[in-house]
C-alpha cells in the first residue's frame, strides 16, 4: 500500500527521486499493490514515475477517477474503490 503526489494515465508520480525509487522497488517485489490517492492528486504530473499503471492492482480514492485515468485503469485491469476513502480536508 502506498500513496503518491500525482496520478496520471501513465501511473503514479512523485516529486522526489528517492521516494519514487523506493515505490518502484516496492511494486517490483510485491505480489499485489494498492494505491491510495485522493482527488487532489488527479492529473498532477510530478517529475518521477513511481509506479506505472501495469504495476498497480488496486486504486482506492475518495472520488471517481477522471476519464483518461479511468481508461488506463480499465486497460490495465485495475480494481478500484471510490467509496472507501473520505477526505478530511
Amino acid at each position: 500500500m502506498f500513496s503518491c503526489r500525482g496520478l496520471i494515465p501513465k501511473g503514479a508520480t512523485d516529486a522526489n527521486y528517492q521516494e519514487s525509487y523506493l515505490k518502484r522497488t516496492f511494486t517490483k517485489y510485491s505480489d499485489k499493490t494498492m494505491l491510495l490517492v485522493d482527488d487532489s492528486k488527479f492529473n498532477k504530473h510530478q517529475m518521477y514515475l513511481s509506479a506505472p499503471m501495469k504495476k498497480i492492482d488496486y486504486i482506492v480514492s475518495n472520488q471517481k477517477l477522471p476519464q483518461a485515468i479511468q481508461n488506463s485503469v480499465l486497460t490495465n485491469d485495475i480494481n478500484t474503490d471510490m467509496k472507501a476513502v473520505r477526505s478530511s480536508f
Side-chain angles (χ1 to χ4, degrees):
M1 188 177 335
F2 65 102
S3 63
C4 62
R5 305 253 179 170
L7 182 63
I8 58 173
K10 197 171 181 180
T13 64
D14 279 290
N16 179 290
Y17 174 77
Q18 286 84 7
E19 283 182 45
S20 68
Y21 178 79
L22 180 66
K23 292 171 187 178
R24 279 195 313 275
T25 303
F26 169 78
T27 59
K28 181 178 179 180
Y29 294 104
S30 295
D31 291 330
K32 298 283 182 185
T33 59
M34 179 184 289
L35 176 66
L36 303 175
V37 61
D38 69 72
D39 63 308
S40 70
K41 309 299 191 284
F42 296 165
N43 295 314
K44 301 284 188 210
H45 190 284
Q46 300 296 328
M47 185 79 120
Y48 302 99
L49 184 65
S50 299
M53 284 293 194
K54 66 183 178 182
K55 294 288 188 177
I56 301 171
D57 297 297
Y58 304 96
I59 296 177
V60 178
S61 184
N62 65 325
Q63 296 288 324
K64 183 178 176 185
L65 299 171
Q67 191 60 52
I69 295 173
Q70 183 62 35
N71 291 344
S72 183
V73 163
L74 293 172
T75 300
N76 289 283
D77 197 30
I78 299 170
N79 294 304
T80 59
D81 187 345
M82 303 309 142
K83 298 178 228 168
V85 178
R86 293 179 195 255
S87 178
S88 60
F89 301 105

